[in-house]
Amino acid sequence: MKYTFDIVGVSPVWQFFSHQQQIQEQSNHQGIEYLGSHKCTLDALIETVEPVPLKWGWNTEQVLETVVQFWMNNSESIRYWKTRLTDGGNENILVARLADITALQAEFESLLSKNW
């Protein structure tokens, strides 16, 4: 199985929490996790990711490797989001997405078919 990790934005904490509640009510988001962190550091992101493989039965080592590879290969993006998080203040969190690539592809295809 292959995984993907990406930072998708900065959000107010209450909005992220509300979004998480909506996702839990829908059964079609299996294999995709949105994670929040108050810090934009590799350690903080790994800490938010660690419980996810157990939930989905994913390979923990591959998931962590995916996060580390993202961190190593996207320094410009990381600097950008770190600045946005700082600009946003304490009421905001960094939002990242961790997904099984197949589930994410199905999610994108579903979104595209709804708009056509």
Side-chain angles (χ1 to χ4, degrees), residues 11-82:
S11 171
V13 174
W14 66 268
Q15 191 172 21
F16 177 75
F17 178 75
S18 175
H19 183 260
Q20 292 292 83
Q21 293 295 0
Q22 289 174 355
I23 287 176
Q24 284 183 343
E25 293 170 6
Q26 300 171 355
S27 62
N28 61 344
H29 283 279
Q30 296 202 10
I32 303 171
E33 287 285 330
Y34 290 91
L35 309 161
S37 174
H38 286 286
K39 297 178 185 176
C40 185
T41 65
L42 179 57
D43 289 343
L45 293 173
I46 286 176
E47 190 175 310
T48 65
V49 165
E50 284 179 331
V52 176
L54 295 174
K55 177 180 178 181
W56 297 109
W58 291 348
N59 181 307
T60 301
E61 188 175 311
Q62 285 180 338
V63 168
L64 294 176
E65 182 179 321
T66 299
V67 175
V68 170
Q69 285 302 312
F70 171 85
W71 194 263
M72 301 285 288
N73 297 326
N74 295 282
S75 60
E76 234 177 86
S77 175
I78 292 164
R79 275 192 300 273
Y80 173 81
W81 288 116
K82 188 177 273 193

